Amino acid sequence: MELKFTKMQAFGNDYIYINTLDQDMPPSLGDLARHVSDIHYGIGSDGLVLICPSAVCEFRMRMFNPDGTEGEMCGNALRSTAKYVYDQGLTDKTAFTIETLGGNQQIQLEVTEGVVSNITANIGTPVWDTGKIPVNTPQKTFVNQPLTVEGQTFHVTALSWGNPHCVTFLDSVAELDIDRFGPALERMLEVFPNRTNVTFAEIVSDSYIKIREWERGTGETIGCGTGCCTAVAAGNLLRLCGRTVTVEQIGGPLSIHWDPEDNMFMTGPSHYICSGTILYEPK
């Protein structure tokens, strides 16, 4: 079968997007996701995103990791989905919601000459309860907890946006051996039973943070919207930064702010990379 796809980037993550509203899909989406990651247009991508109908929102986003497992929610994938549905004429609204496994996410678009130029995604409030993250600890919250891996102690805060994240603050992220410490923290199954995304963050000022992101199952990624929000949420909780912060990541800076109701917003652009046709024979 032939499936039309678009590859997009949202200041960090590259994903392969397939609009399921006007084309039939194979029965095994996990196999399709693995197929996408194994061939040339999947190289450099963080996975597969399906744009689907929703009974509760304007659209539903389903996100699959390169290994074929379905993920909960990714802020960068969410922003690119929002750009896609507007630019492709699937909606004329500049404010709408998208259903994800991590919750129903609110989107606000900035449109320039008929094309989305900037996207603000409200990804909701962080979950601190360790029973929901989940974290194997008797403590209800997991804030600034010391974890020793590879002979070094990191003070880790764990939270979730529908997918598990943790953050640790360092003096310098540039000097970090992320290939050593990223997987060691991700795979601390005695603490994080589902493994975890790890945000390594450096506080530059009250309104500026640098991060490097280790994505579970993938490795270092050039950016992560929820990782940016993780750094700001934890930094504010620990009185290290304010509630409106620019976060520098390899893929580009995101603007993050936290409203009085504790909702986190990320604002930044998304870009088209290429489009084409996937040839796939269902198993």
Side-chain angles (χ1 to χ4, degrees), residues 1-5 18 23-26 32 276-278 280:
M1 63 189 308
E2 293 186 355
L3 296 170
K4 292 181 290 185
F5 78 92
I18 296 179
Q23 54 187 332
D24 295 331
M25 297 301 297
L32 174 62
T277 300
I278 292 172
Y280 174 69

Side-chain angles (χ1 to χ4, degrees), residues 23-58:
Q23 54 187 332
D24 295 331
M25 297 301 297
S28 177
L29 298 176
D31 283 340
L32 174 62
R34 286 189 291 272
H35 177 71
V36 164
S37 71
D38 287 341
I39 50 184
H40 69 279
Y41 44 71
I43 292 175
S45 72
D46 294 285
L48 172 69
V49 173
L50 302 181
I51 301 167
C52 310
S54 171
V56 294
C57 296
E58 281 81 359

Side-chain angles (χ1 to χ4, degrees), residues 63-84:
M63 186 191 77
F64 291 84
N65 300 309
D67 64 2
T69 58
E70 186 164 4
E72 297 91 342
M73 196 272 289
C74 169
N76 282 343
L78 181 72
R79 287 189 294 115
S80 284
T81 299
K83 177 179 175 64
Y84 181 99

Side-chain angles (χ1 to χ4, degrees), residues 234-249:
N236 187 263
L237 182 72
L238 297 172
R239 302 179 185 275
L240 299 175
C241 69
R243 294 173 76 88
T244 299
V245 181
T246 296
V247 182
E248 178 186 324
Q249 51 183 348

Side-chain angles (χ1 to χ4, degrees), residues 104-122:
N104 299 334
Q105 315 298 336
Q106 299 173 335
I107 301 294
Q108 179 69 54
L109 304 179
E110 180 181 330
V111 178
T112 304
E113 297 181 350
V115 176
V116 173
S117 54
N118 224 7
I119 309 106
T120 297
N122 175 4

